[in-house]
Coordinates of all heavy atoms in Angstrom, one line a residue:
E12 N 3.5 9.0 -17.0 CA 4.3 9.1 -15.8 C 4.0 10.4 -15.0 O 4.3 10.5 -13.8 CB 5.8 9.2 -16.2 CG 6.3 7.8 -16.7 CD 7.8 7.9 -17.0 OE1 8.5 8.8 -16.6 OE2 8.3 6.9 -17.7
R13 N 3.3 11.3 -15.7 CA 2.9 12.6 -15.1 C 1.6 13.0 -15.6 O 1.2 12.8 -16.7 CB 3.9 13.7 -15.4 CG 5.3 13.4 -14.9 CD 6.3 14.6 -15.1 NE 6.2 15.6 -14.1 CZ 6.7 15.5 -12.8 NH1 7.2 14.3 -12.4 NH2 6.5 16.4 -12.0
L14 N 0.7 13.6 -14.7 CA -0.6 14.2 -15.0 C -0.5 15.6 -14.5 O -0.3 15.9 -13.4 CB -1.7 13.4 -14.3 CG -2.0 12.0 -14.9 CD1 -3.0 11.3 -13.9 CD2 -2.6 12.1 -16.3
E15 N -0.8 16.5 -15.5 CA -0.8 17.9 -15.1 C 0.5 18.3 -14.3 O 0.4 19.1 -13.4 CB -2.0 18.3 -14.3 CG -3.3 18.0 -15.0 CD -3.5 19.0 -16.2 OE1 -3.1 20.1 -16.1 OE2 -4.1 18.5 -17.2
G16 N 1.6 17.7 -14.7 CA 2.9 18.1 -14.1 C 3.2 17.3 -12.8 O 4.2 17.6 -12.1
V17 N 2.2 16.5 -12.3 CA 2.4 15.8 -11.1 C 2.8 14.3 -11.4 O 2.1 13.7 -12.2 CB 1.1 15.8 -10.2 CG1 1.2 15.0 -8.9 CG2 0.7 17.3 -9.9
A18 N 3.8 13.8 -10.7 CA 4.2 12.4 -10.9 C 3.2 11.4 -10.5 O 2.5 11.6 -9.5 CB 5.5 12.1 -10.1
V19 N 3.0 10.4 -11.3 CA 2.0 9.3 -11.0 C 2.9 8.1 -10.6 O 3.8 7.7 -11.3 CB 1.2 9.0 -12.2 CG1 0.3 7.8 -12.0 CG2 0.3 10.2 -12.6
T20 N 2.6 7.5 -9.4 CA 3.4 6.4 -8.9 C 2.4 5.2 -8.7 O 1.5 5.3 -7.9 CB 4.1 6.8 -7.6 OG1 4.9 7.9 -7.9 CG2 5.0 5.6 -7.2
H21 N 2.7 4.1 -9.3 CA 2.0 2.8 -9.0 C 2.4 2.3 -7.6 O 3.6 2.1 -7.4 CB 2.3 1.8 -10.1 CG 1.6 0.5 -9.8 ND1 2.3 -0.6 -9.5 CD2 0.3 0.2 -9.9 CE1 1.4 -1.6 -9.3 NE2 0.2 -1.2 -9.6
I22 N 1.5 2.2 -6.7 CA 1.9 1.7 -5.3 C 1.4 0.4 -4.9 O 1.7 -0.1 -3.9 CB 1.5 2.8 -4.3 CG1 -0.1 2.9 -4.2 CG2 2.2 4.1 -4.5 CD1 -0.6 3.6 -3.0
G23 N 0.6 -0.3 -5.8 CA 0.1 -1.6 -5.4 C -1.1 -2.0 -6.2 O -1.4 -1.5 -7.2
A24 N -1.8 -3.1 -5.7 CA -2.9 -3.7 -6.4 C -4.0 -4.0 -5.4 O -3.7 -4.4 -4.2 CB -2.4 -4.9 -7.1
V25 N -5.2 -3.9 -5.8 CA -6.3 -4.4 -5.0 C -6.6 -5.8 -5.3 O -6.7 -6.1 -6.5 CB -7.6 -3.5 -5.2 CG1 -8.8 -4.0 -4.5 CG2 -7.3 -2.0 -4.9
V26 N -6.7 -6.7 -4.3 CA -6.9 -8.1 -4.6 C -8.1 -8.6 -3.8 O -8.8 -7.8 -3.2 CB -5.6 -8.9 -4.1 CG1 -4.4 -8.5 -5.0 CG2 -5.3 -8.7 -2.7
A27 N -8.3 -9.8 -3.8 CA -9.5 -10.4 -3.3 C -9.7 -10.0 -1.8 O -8.8 -9.9 -1.0 CB -9.5 -11.9 -3.4
K28 N -11.0 -9.8 -1.4 CA -11.4 -9.5 -0.1 C -10.8 -10.5 0.9 O -10.9 -11.7 0.6 CB -12.9 -9.4 0.1 CG -13.4 -9.0 1.4 CD -14.9 -8.9 1.4 CE -15.4 -8.5 2.8 NZ -16.8 -8.4 2.9
G29 N -10.3 -10.1 2.0 CA -9.9 -11.0 3.1 C -8.4 -11.3 3.0 O -7.8 -11.9 3.9
V30 N -7.7 -10.8 2.0 CA -6.3 -11.1 1.9 C -5.5 -10.2 2.8 O -4.4 -10.7 3.4 CB -5.8 -10.9 0.4 CG1 -4.3 -11.0 0.3 CG2 -6.5 -11.9 -0.5
G31 N -5.9 -9.0 3.1 CA -5.2 -8.1 4.0 C -4.3 -7.2 3.3 O -4.4 -7.1 2.0
V32 N -3.4 -6.5 4.0 CA -2.5 -5.6 3.4 C -1.1 -6.1 3.5 O -0.7 -6.5 4.7 CB -2.6 -4.2 4.0 CG1 -1.6 -3.2 3.4 CG2 -4.0 -3.7 3.8
E33 N -0.3 -6.2 2.5 CA 1.0 -6.7 2.5 C 2.0 -5.7 1.9 O 1.6 -5.0 0.9 CB 1.1 -8.1 1.8 CG 0.2 -9.1 2.3 CD 0.3 -10.4 1.5 OE1 0.4 -10.3 0.2 OE2 0.2 -11.5 2.1
L34 N 3.2 -5.7 2.4 CA 4.3 -4.9 1.8 C 5.2 -5.9 1.0 O 5.6 -6.9 1.5 CB 5.1 -4.3 2.9 CG 6.3 -3.5 2.5 CD1 6.0 -2.3 1.6 CD2 7.1 -3.0 3.7
V35 N 5.3 -5.6 -0.3 CA 6.2 -6.4 -1.1 C 7.5 -5.6 -1.3 O 7.5 -4.5 -1.9 CB 5.6 -6.6 -2.5 CG1 6.5 -7.5 -3.4 CG2 4.2 -7.3 -2.4
H36 N 8.6 -6.1 -0.7 CA 9.9 -5.4 -0.7 C 10.5 -5.5 -2.1 O 10.1 -6.3 -3.0 CB 10.8 -6.1 0.3 CG 10.3 -6.0 1.7 ND1 10.6 -5.0 2.6 CD2 9.4 -6.8 2.3 CE1 10.0 -5.2 3.7 NE2 9.2 -6.3 3.6
A37 N 11.4 -4.6 -2.4 CA 12.1 -4.5 -3.7 C 12.7 -5.9 -4.2 O 12.6 -6.2 -5.3 CB 13.1 -3.4 -3.7
H38 N 13.2 -6.6 -3.2 CA 13.8 -7.9 -3.6 C 12.8 -9.1 -3.6 O 13.2 -10.2 -3.7 CB 14.9 -8.2 -2.6 CG 14.5 -8.3 -1.2 ND1 14.3 -7.1 -0.5 CD2 14.3 -9.3 -0.3 CE1 13.9 -7.4 0.8 NE2 13.9 -8.8 0.9
G39 N 11.5 -8.8 -3.4 CA 10.4 -9.8 -3.5 C 9.9 -10.3 -2.2 O 8.9 -11.0 -2.2
R40 N 10.5 -10.1 -1.1 CA 10.0 -10.6 0.2 C 8.7 -9.9 0.5 O 8.5 -8.7 0.3 CB 11.0 -10.3 1.3 CG 10.6 -10.9 2.7 CD 11.7 -10.8 3.7 NE 12.2 -9.5 3.9 CZ 11.8 -8.8 5.0 NH1 11.1 -9.3 6.0 NH2 12.3 -7.5 5.1
V41 N 7.7 -10.6 1.0 CA 6.4 -10.1 1.4 C 6.2 -10.2 2.9 O 6.4 -11.2 3.5 CB 5.3 -10.9 0.7 CG1 3.9 -10.4 1.1 CG2 5.5 -10.9 -0.8
T42 N 5.8 -9.1 3.5 CA 5.5 -9.1 4.9 C 4.1 -8.5 5.1 O 3.7 -7.5 4.4 CB 6.5 -8.3 5.7 OG1 6.6 -6.9 5.2 CG2 7.9 -8.9 5.7
P43 N 3.3 -9.0 6.1 CA 2.0 -8.5 6.3 C 2.1 -7.1 7.0 O 3.0 -6.9 7.8 CB 1.3 -9.5 7.2 CG 2.4 -10.2 7.8 CD 3.6 -10.2 6.9
L44 N 1.2 -6.2 6.8 CA 1.1 -4.9 7.5 C -0.1 -5.0 8.4 O -1.2 -5.1 8.0 CB 1.0 -3.8 6.5 CG 2.1 -3.5 5.6 CD1 1.8 -2.4 4.6 CD2 3.4 -3.2 6.4
L45 N 0.2 -4.9 9.7 CA -0.9 -4.9 10.7 C -1.4 -3.5 10.9 O -0.6 -2.5 10.8 CB -0.3 -5.5 12.0 CG 0.3 -6.9 11.8 CD1 0.9 -7.4 13.1 CD2 -0.8 -7.9 11.3
P46 N -2.7 -3.3 11.3 CA -3.2 -2.0 11.5 C -2.5 -1.4 12.7 O -2.3 -2.0 13.7 CB -4.7 -2.3 11.9 CG -5.0 -3.7 11.4 CD -3.7 -4.4 11.4
T47 N -2.1 -0.1 12.5 CA -1.4 0.6 13.6 C -1.9 2.1 13.5 O -2.6 2.5 12.5 CB 0.1 0.6 13.5 OG1 0.5 1.2 12.2 CG2 0.7 -0.8 13.5
G48 N -1.5 2.9 14.4 CA -1.8 4.3 14.4 C -3.2 4.7 14.9 O -3.8 3.9 15.6
F49 N -3.6 5.9 14.7 CA -4.8 6.4 15.2 C -6.0 5.9 14.5 O -6.0 5.9 13.3 CB -4.7 8.0 15.1 CG -5.9 8.7 15.7 CD1 -6.0 8.8 17.1 CD2 -6.8 9.2 14.9 CE1 -7.0 9.5 17.6 CE2 -7.9 9.9 15.4 CZ -8.0 10.0 16.8
R50 N -7.0 5.5 15.2 CA -8.3 5.1 14.6 C -9.2 6.4 14.6 O -9.6 6.8 15.7 CB -9.0 4.0 15.4 CG -8.3 2.7 15.2 CD -9.1 1.6 15.8 NE -10.4 1.4 15.2 CZ -10.7 0.6 14.2 NH1 -9.7 -0.2 13.7 NH2 -11.9 0.5 13.7
H51 N -9.6 6.9 13.5 CA -10.4 8.1 13.4 C -11.8 7.9 13.7 O -12.5 8.8 14.2 CB -10.3 8.7 12.0 CG -8.9 9.1 11.6 ND1 -8.4 10.3 11.9 CD2 -7.9 8.4 11.0 CE1 -7.2 10.5 11.5 NE2 -6.8 9.3 11.0
F52 N -12.4 6.7 13.5 CA -13.8 6.4 13.7 C -14.0 5.1 14.5 O -13.3 4.2 14.4 CB -14.5 6.3 12.4 CG -14.3 7.5 11.5 CD1 -13.4 7.5 10.5 CD2 -15.0 8.7 11.8 CE1 -13.2 8.6 9.7 CE2 -14.8 9.8 11.0 CZ -13.9 9.7 9.9

C-alpha cells in the first residue's frame, strides 16, 4: 500500500491496442474519455 512512505494507488489497466481510454465509475458505469487539453507535441 506504500513504498518508501508514499501511497501506491491502482488507477487502471492497460488493455488491447485500439480500445481507447475509458473511465470506470465506482458503481460500474463506463464512459469513454475523449482527448482534451493542451497538445504538447
